[in-house]
Each structure stands twice: as structure tokens, then as C-alpha cells.
Amino acid sequence: MKTPKTLLLIIAALLFAACEKYVAEDVAQTESKVVDGNLVVTAECLVTKSGVEDEETATLPLNERFTRMSMVIYQNDVRVDYVNQVNTDKDFGTMSVDLEPGTYQLVVLAHSGTRSPTTTNCHKISFSAPLTDVFSYYGEITVGKEANKISVQLARAVAKIQLNIKDDIPANVSFFNFIYKGASVSFDPTTKVGLASSTRRNMEIEKVEGVKTFELYTFVTGADQLVDLDVAGYSEAKDVVGAKKFPGISVELRKVSKIDSPVFDGVIEGPTDISVILDDTWDGVIDYTF
């Protein structure tokens, strides 16, 4: 058990953690509004699931799986055109641009963030925090004078940490505060490798009755990427009701690290053993202890 003095220090660290600022798009270039261009791209995402337990894996319409999509065209790593969509747009997932004949690099992104990503740099696409589940496609295309219609398959581009709170959440908890370090919100779509960041990010989530599972997504920066996660439940008066620390969580591309742990048992440190369980919508299991 931590002493009251140590507990106060932990609370102070939670309150004063810094957030990474989102960089807005360069307004010098506006997105394409072409309807019938000479390149029409339709995105497909077969790795989807309705979310009901024990149900067969099933493909969902894109507008039920994601809230936003982007198509970005580069030539020699320089952005020449782009399209951003929201899932209320007609023909969500089908995007059109009008290009000069030539060879281009195509990036397609699907996610459920509150903003479209910054795509000015082909090798550094940045999302606003917190990151959601992201799917992407990258490939080279050749555009001629005649209209060209292509379909692309999106693949998951992130790892996920899932925390399941195993004890009862006290009635006076009003919201949760998650502070995490080592997670990445930027990646290179050509390699799907995340760009390392030392920023401590802060995510506040209101309590929803019955909800005890929380998810954190990150791009994977390398084989040895570790994420430190601090979780605290606060009362409406912003008093800490309970807290837990989970240092050194290992993450891998398209794998989920699933943690089962109490948060309100009075112990600040995380458990010695982390149980990582297979989620069949992802690619595998990570086994580790700390």
C-alpha cells in the first residue's frame, strides 16, 4: 500500500500530465471536390465484426464501421490531392479525383476520430488524440487519360490495449482519467510503422453505468514498444476514488493486450501478472508479465 504522501504525488502527476496538440491541415491546399474524376477508388474492409459475442465474423457496411475516411494522392512523396469523408456522406468509401496522367502513391485511411488526420507528409500522418481503431491502404497506381476505377483492401494499422475493470465501480465515481506514455498517434502508411513519442497524453471519459471495459489504440513504433498506463476514477468533486498503474505494457501490430484487473482495491501498483487473452477480430496474443 502507498502512503498518503505518495498517493498525493501520484494524484498530482495525473492532474498535470501534458497533452499532445493536434496540428491542423495546411490551409494552402484544399481538398478535392471532384465527383467524376479519372480516378475513382472504392475501399473495402473485410476485417469487421458486428460486436456481438459468439457471433460469426461478418462484414459490416463501412458507414457502420467507421465515421471518417480519407484518400490522399502523392507524387514523389508530395501531396497533390486529397478527399476527406464522413459516414453521412453519400457513397461513403468511394472517392474521386482528377489527375494528370502519371504514377502516384495512394493512401486510404478509415477511422472513427473526431477529426480528419493531417496528411501533408506522406511519411508522417498524424491523428488527433485519443487514437481510434485505424485501417489503412498504401500502394502505387498509374493514372492515364481514361477513367480508372480501382478497389483497395484496408488492413488494421494499430495495436490495442484493453482494460477490463474486475471490481465494482463505486457509485460516487463520476469520470475516469487515463494517462498514458509511449503510445503513438502518428505513423508512416508506407510501412505502417508508428513514430515514437515521449508525450504523456491525458484522456478523460465520463462514467457510463455498466461499462467496465476501456480501450486504448496506438501505432506500433517497434518490436520493443512499451506503454505506461495510469488509470484513476474521480468523483464529481474531482476527488480520487481509486487508481491503478500499469507500467511497461507490450504492444504489437494488429494484436490486443487485454488486461483484467481491479482498480478500486486500494492498491496503486498494477498486478504482478497480466492476463492477455486472444480477441478473434485481431491477429494474436501477447504473453508477458511485469
Side-chain angles (χ1 to χ4, degrees):
M1 295 290 290
K2 290 288 184 184
T3 64
K5 181 178 180 181
T6 306
L7 180 58
L8 288 174
L9 291 175
I10 292 171
I11 295 170
L14 291 173
L15 292 174
F16 290 99
C19 298
E20 184 174 44
K21 293 183 178 180
Y22 174 77
V23 179
E25 279 284 8
D26 182 359
V27 295
Q29 183 185 39
T30 58
E31 65 178 290
S32 176
K33 298 296 183 182
V34 173
V35 176
D36 295 312
N38 61 347
L39 175 65
V40 178
V41 176
T42 299
E44 297 179 353
C45 184
L46 301 181
V47 187
T48 59
K49 194 173 182 179
S50 62
V52 178
E53 291 185 4
D54 300 322
E55 187 175 15
E56 293 292 329
T57 300
T59 301
L60 291 175
L62 289 176
N63 61 1
E64 294 182 28
R65 178 66 180 83
F66 308 104
T67 62
R68 293 180 180 272
M69 293 192 69
S70 297
M71 177 177 73
V72 196
I73 307 296
Y74 303 89
Q75 191 170 50
N76 299 321
D77 289 349
V78 176
R79 189 178 71 175
V80 297
D81 210 342
Y82 67 102
V83 177
N84 291 322
Q85 292 184 325
V86 294
N87 62 350
T88 54
D89 291 342
K90 182 181 179 182
D91 299 324
F92 181 71
T94 297
M95 294 157 280
S96 176
V97 291
D98 205 9
L99 302 169
E100 294 293 327
T103 300
Y104 296 88
Q105 300 152 280
L106 170 66
V107 173
V108 181
L109 306 161
H111 63 105
S112 294
T114 57
R115 300 174 180 176
S116 296
T118 299
T119 59
T120 311
N121 185 339
C122 178
H123 297 287
K124 184 182 179 181
I125 289 183
S126 298
F127 291 77
S128 56
L131 190 67
T132 68
D133 199 1
V134 177
F135 283 70
S136 71
Y137 169 86
Y138 171 83
E140 286 197 351
I141 56 171
T142 300
V143 178
K145 293 182 180 179
E146 300 296 326
N148 186 18
K149 295 183 179 181
I150 63 173
S151 296
V152 299
Q153 291 288 343
L154 300 175
R156 181 170 271 123
V158 294
K160 178 171 74 171
I161 297 172
Q162 180 174 309
L163 171 64
N164 301 315
I165 298 177
K166 301 307 292 182
D167 52 353
D168 292 333
I169 299 174
N172 62 333
V173 171
S174 176
F175 65 94
F176 293 90
N177 196 42
F178 293 80
I179 296 190
Y180 51 97
K181 182 179 179 182
S184 170
V185 297
S186 301
F187 84 127
D188 183 339
T190 70
T191 61
K192 286 190 169 61
V193 174
L195 304 179
S197 172
S198 60
T199 302
R200 288 176 63 86
R201 299 185 180 88
N202 182 43
M203 179 170 61
E204 189 174 296
I205 300 176
E206 288 188 10
K207 175 187 173 182
V208 176
E209 202 62 41
V211 174
K212 301 174 72 175
T213 296
F214 301 90
E215 297 173 340
L216 166 66
Y217 297 91
T218 178
F219 293 114
V220 178
T221 62
D224 58 350
Q225 182 180 356
L226 300 175
V227 175
D228 295 333
L229 175 64
D230 295 349
V231 182
Y234 284 81
S235 68
E236 190 173 354
K238 298 186 178 180
D239 296 322
V240 175
V241 180
K244 186 78 72 174
K245 298 175 72 68
F246 301 99
I249 302 171
S250 175
V251 294
E252 294 183 31
L253 178 62
R254 302 190 190 103
K255 293 186 180 180
V256 55
S257 300
K258 190 176 290 186
I259 305 168
D260 295 331
S261 174
V263 171
F264 300 95
D265 58 356
V267 180
I268 298 299
E269 295 87 351
T272 300
D273 296 314
I274 296 295
S275 175
V276 185
I277 304 170
L278 175 65
D279 182 331
D280 63 4
T281 63
W282 292 68
D283 280 2
V285 180
I286 305 172
D287 294 314
Y288 66 94
T289 60
F290 68 80

